[in-house]
Amino acid sequence: MGSINRYLQFVKPYRWQIIGTIIIGVLKFAIPLLIPLLIKFVLDDIVQNDDMTGAEKSDQLLLVMGIMIVVFVVLRPPIEYYRQYFAQWTASKILYDIRDRLFTHLQKLSFKYYSNTRAGEVISRVINDVEQTKTFVITGLMNLWLDVATIIIAVTIMFTMDIGLTFVSLVLFPLYAFSIRYFFGNLRKLTRVRSQALAEVQSYLHERVAGISLVKSFALEEHEQKQFDKQNRNFLEKALDHTRWNAKAFAVVNTITDIAPLLVIGYAGFQAVNGDITIGTMVAFIAYIDKLYNPLRRLVNSSTTLTQSIASMDRVFEFMDEKYDIQDTPNAVELEKVHGEIKFENVNFAYEEKGESVLKNINLEVKKGETIALVGMSGGGKSSFVSLIPRFYDTTEGRILLDGKDIRNFKVRSLRDKIGMVLQDNILFSESVKTNILLGNPSATDEEVIAAAMAANAHDFIMALPEGYDTKVGERGVKLSGGQRQRVAIARVFLKNPPILILDEATSALDLESEHLIQEALEKLAKDRTTFLVAHRLSTITHADRIVLIEHGEIVEVGNHEELMSLEGGYHRLFQVQQLED
């Protein structure tokens, strides 16, 4: 029951709205319960009343029908409207709160979580599973009670009419309760399995839509169709398992609810033949059986939707319980002013707890405003090195000091706020160029945005776009070239104006003209900032104050370009190879 109790925490702020909706709902369901009483009254007290003349019977009938028309035409429609409106309003507000909390949560999850989880699955939990829990609010917290109230009111009225007949009506209740308990126990597990299969279809779809250019360029349509069919078939099988069990449940339970009226009709008919009850009572009782077993049938439906809802709830809270790898310590402080000295002390780092270290015994002191270039073969640990500075990952051993203090003592968001990053593959959102630059500082003015774009050598190409700064760039910036995307990303960092800068392969894979413009912008950006530069092409980093050669996760050489060339070691060898290639 843990999931339900946790879900009720989200429901708590809206408890009065729920109580109000239930009160309105009881009125809505109580009004139709007058119909069997009306039938009994019309048959016994008007039609079969030998003490009244035809005219008196007509008058009496008109009067009673007039009252009923007022109840059903004037009173019931607004009651029906507000019951529906408040039920949906409350459920929608609760779902809004849960999604809000989940979005906050998914922003706090670490890179490690996202490297092991597909985006489509996260989206499925926030959209599909949260939506499924809506039925818990509408059915479990509202309709369930209304159906129970309807049953209680109907049974009370039936007892006042005939006690024996009422007991006959209720004789199958225990069998009914046992069936529900038996069948719906297994449904929760089947529903969770089905939800997971749906999340996998969504994940697959999300990845393939994002990578459609790859599918088309390799003419993989048929292969991908087969792969998708496999995922889709898995979901179909899980959905059919769920459907089979559900159908069994309905077959048994509805058979019970169908037998009950037959028992009542037989017993009431026998009593009416012997003159023990009036025809009006018999007809009213048969009508009440319908009123009694309709809510029961709805309760069966409710059991199904509630089971699905609770299974989705389990998945939502399972996601909410994902631990944060990178957390602020209880006494973490805001990082206000940064001087810019960074020191690595005996740093070791592995991606997995018991995995192999990708960085080993790293010791490095960097002065304020210094430009440090990290070089070495691919997979040597350069990108891992720079991802420790903004705490995308934490060191496994050792520590990193910023201005003499361990970076884990600062609130992680305030630390990242002081670091600007330009990567090889910068993410752009599908909105306008201006919106993407503003991510560097959402409160900046238009003048500041333009100044940042000019500094990044981006202003000219932006002005040549169809709508200038308001041009939408498409998902991940597909409408811009690689060099243009890179310059927008650099403009973003100019706008942020951080004291520490990380450039990870920022100029690789670009044409020469773009590279020249970007190199110029980056040198301007790095001025007076502590800068870490990861580069594959060594000709772009010869100006660095110090060059650090990393091989197999260890620092093997440190010095400026001239010093390392005169050493004739690993750096010299790499440089020579690249010169020959060029």
Side-chain angles (χ1 to χ4, degrees):
M1 293 298 280
S3 291
I4 294 177
N5 289 337
R6 290 177 69 180
Y7 197 86
L8 290 174
Q9 295 306 308
F10 288 97
V11 172
K12 214 173 178 182
Y14 304 102
R15 58 188 178 280
W16 292 112
Q17 284 91 331
I18 289 174
I19 290 165
T21 308
I22 291 172
I23 291 166
I24 296 170
V26 169
L27 283 174
K28 176 208 155 169
F29 282 105
I31 290 172
L33 292 175
L34 297 172
I35 297 281
L37 284 179
L38 175 68
I39 296 170
K40 180 182 179 340
F41 180 77
V42 169
L43 282 175
D44 289 351
D45 297 3
I46 299 177
V47 176
Q48 293 189 318
N49 189 342
D50 296 332
D51 299 336
M52 291 169 75
T53 64
E56 283 174 332
K57 286 180 181 181
S58 297
D59 290 346
Q60 193 76 30
L61 192 58
L62 278 171
L63 176 66
V64 79
M65 292 314 292
I67 293 167
M68 284 297 160
I69 283 168
V70 169
V71 170
F72 278 87
V73 176
V74 178
L75 285 180
R76 195 160 186 262
I79 288 172
E80 178 74 57
Y81 171 81
Y82 284 110
R83 191 198 98 68
Q84 287 292 344
Y85 177 77
F86 286 131
Q88 292 293 338
W89 182 90
T90 309
S92 299
K93 289 286 280 184
I94 290 165
L95 262 54
Y96 169 85
D97 291 348
I98 292 171
R99 287 202 178 104
D100 230 34
R101 174 79 63 84
L102 284 177
F103 190 74
T104 306
H105 172 66
L106 68 85
Q107 290 198 96
K108 287 183 182 173
L109 288 167
S110 69
F111 277 71
K112 191 181 279 185
Y113 174 79
Y114 287 109
S115 59
N116 293 323
T117 313
R118 297 196 297 181
E121 190 158 328
V122 174
I123 293 164
S124 183
R125 296 207 184 198
V126 178
I127 302 297
N128 298 344
D129 287 315
V130 172
E131 194 63 33
Q132 285 280 339
T133 67
K134 189 178 190 177
T135 50
F136 175 75
V137 181
I138 289 179
T139 303
L141 299 179
M142 296 177 192
N143 294 1
L144 205 67
W145 301 111
L146 297 178
D147 287 331
V148 168
T150 307
I151 291 167
I152 291 167
I153 295 168
V155 169
T156 308
I157 295 170
M158 288 159 78
F159 268 122
T160 61
M161 288 162 65
D162 191 297
I163 293 171
L165 255 180
T166 307
F167 279 121
V168 172
S169 307
L170 301 177
V171 78
L172 291 178
F173 259 45
L175 187 58
Y176 173 85
F178 169 78
S179 306
I180 283 192
R181 187 174 178 79
Y182 172 74
F183 281 106
F184 293 104
N186 203 25
L187 208 58
R188 182 170 170 181
K189 189 180 100 208
L190 289 169
T191 307
R192 284 188 68 175
V193 170
R194 189 185 69 169
S195 293
Q196 179 58 31
L198 180 62
E200 281 164 17
V201 171
Q202 185 155 344
S203 283
Y204 188 87
L205 207 53
H206 184 272
E207 280 185 350
R208 287 335 185 253
V209 169
I212 198 76
S213 58
L214 176 71
V215 174
K216 286 183 178 297
S217 63
F218 280 87
L220 292 171
E221 286 87 347
E222 280 185 32
H223 169 75
E224 285 301 327
Q225 186 68 51
K226 281 182 195 148
Q227 298 300 107
F228 181 73
D229 283 350
K230 206 183 290 177
Q231 297 280 352
N232 207 10
R233 184 162 299 283
N234 178 47
F235 174 61
L236 174 67
E237 283 163 9
K238 301 295 182 281
L240 289 177
D241 287 346
H242 181 274
T243 302
R244 269 191 286 274
W245 191 256
N246 208 13
K248 275 184 207 165
F250 274 96
V252 172
V253 172
N254 283 341
T255 302
I256 295 167
T257 55
D258 287 340
I259 292 170
L262 295 177
L263 292 177
V264 171
I265 291 167
Y267 186 71
F270 184 74
Q271 282 197 304
V273 167
N274 292 329
D276 294 338
I277 59 169
T278 64
I279 296 294
T281 303
M282 177 186 166
V283 173
F285 237 93
I286 291 164
Y288 270 121
I289 282 293
D290 195 42
K291 300 288 178 197
L292 182 64
Y293 278 91
N294 261 349
L296 271 183
R297 283 193 189 95
R298 274 200 304 273
L299 283 174
V300 179
N301 281 329
S302 301
S303 308
T304 311
T305 51
L306 273 179
T307 309
Q308 291 175 4
S309 188
I310 291 163
S312 287
M313 230 179 258
D314 292 341
R315 281 170 53 79
V316 167
F317 289 118
E318 183 181 53
F319 176 55
M320 218 178 253
D321 288 340
E322 284 293 342
K323 297 277 183 287
Y324 306 136
D325 292 330
I326 309 295
Q327 274 183 297
D328 290 332
T329 53
N331 52 359
V333 296
E334 287 283 335
L335 174 56
E336 299 289 351
K337 193 127 183 65
V338 172
H339 184 63
E341 286 177 0
I342 294 176
K343 187 178 182 186
F344 283 70
E345 278 186 357
N346 308 317
V347 167
N348 284 293
F349 172 64
Y351 283 100
E352 299 302 329
E353 247 174 81
K354 292 180 179 141
E356 192 189 339
S357 289
V358 284
L359 292 173
K360 307 175 192 101
N361 199 31
I362 299 289
N363 285 285
L364 185 70
E365 241 179 282
V366 181
K367 297 186 197 69
K368 169 186 164 44
E370 201 175 3
T371 295
I372 300 290
L374 303 167
V375 299
M377 300 294 282
S378 284
K382 305 184 296 296
S383 291
S384 303
F385 183 105
V386 292
S387 65
L388 296 177
I389 301 167
R391 286 188 70 199
F392 291 156
Y393 301 93
D394 272 337
T395 59
T396 311
E397 286 173 42
R399 58 186 190 151
I400 299 169
L401 304 176
L402 172 58
D403 298 337
K405 295 191 180 114
D406 191 322
I407 57 171
R408 286 172 292 202
N409 293 340
F410 301 118
K411 289 187 177 169
V412 70
R413 281 177 63 185
S414 69
L415 169 69
R416 289 175 188 164
D417 193 44
K418 302 294 185 286
I419 299 169
M421 300 191 76
V422 183
L423 310 175
Q424 181 178 355
D425 180 23
N426 286 287
I427 302 284
L428 297 189
F429 293 141
S430 61
E431 290 139 33
S432 68
V433 175
K434 179 182 162 187
T435 306
N436 274 289
I437 295 175
L438 275 171
L439 294 173
N441 174 10
S443 58
T445 63
D446 285 359
E447 289 73 25
E448 288 168 325
V449 169
I450 291 167
M454 283 177 161
N457 288 337
H459 179 72
D460 292 345
F461 93 75
I462 294 171
M463 292 311 288
L465 294 170
E467 292 168 60
Y469 280 84
D470 294 321
T471 306
K472 299 262 195 298
V473 299
E475 196 164 2
R476 296 181 73 91
V478 291
K479 293 182 186 175
L480 302 182
S481 72
Q484 289 171 336
R485 279 201 297 276
Q486 211 65 333
R487 280 176 276 165
V488 170
I490 294 168
R492 203 151 60 187
V493 179
F494 266 113
L495 197 61
K496 187 177 186 179
N497 193 21
I500 299 165
L501 194 59
I502 294 171
L503 310 172
D504 190 354
E505 300 271 16
T507 60
S508 63
L510 297 175
D511 58 81
L512 285 173
E513 188 188 353
S514 287
E515 187 178 355
H516 168 69
L517 288 168
I518 286 165
Q519 197 61 43
E520 196 180 277
L522 289 176
E523 282 173 24
K524 207 187 299 176
L525 185 59
K527 199 172 179 340
D528 302 327
R529 298 175 211 268
T530 305
T531 302
F532 291 87
L533 196 58
V534 176
H536 180 67
R537 204 174 304 159
L538 303 185
S539 57
T540 60
I541 52 96
T542 52
H543 66 283
D545 297 311
R546 275 189 295 163
I547 295 165
V548 177
L549 176 64
I550 298 180
E551 283 181 358
H552 309 300
E554 295 182 73
I555 294 177
V556 287
E557 290 175 18
V558 181
N560 62 29
H561 175 69
E562 285 75 24
E563 288 167 354
L564 294 186
M565 287 302 281
S566 63
L567 265 181
E568 297 195 1
Y571 177 79
H572 178 270
R573 188 176 65 251
L574 269 179
F575 198 83
Q576 295 294 95
V577 169
Q578 285 199 8
Q579 291 298 93
L580 284 171
E581 284 173 359
D582 288 348

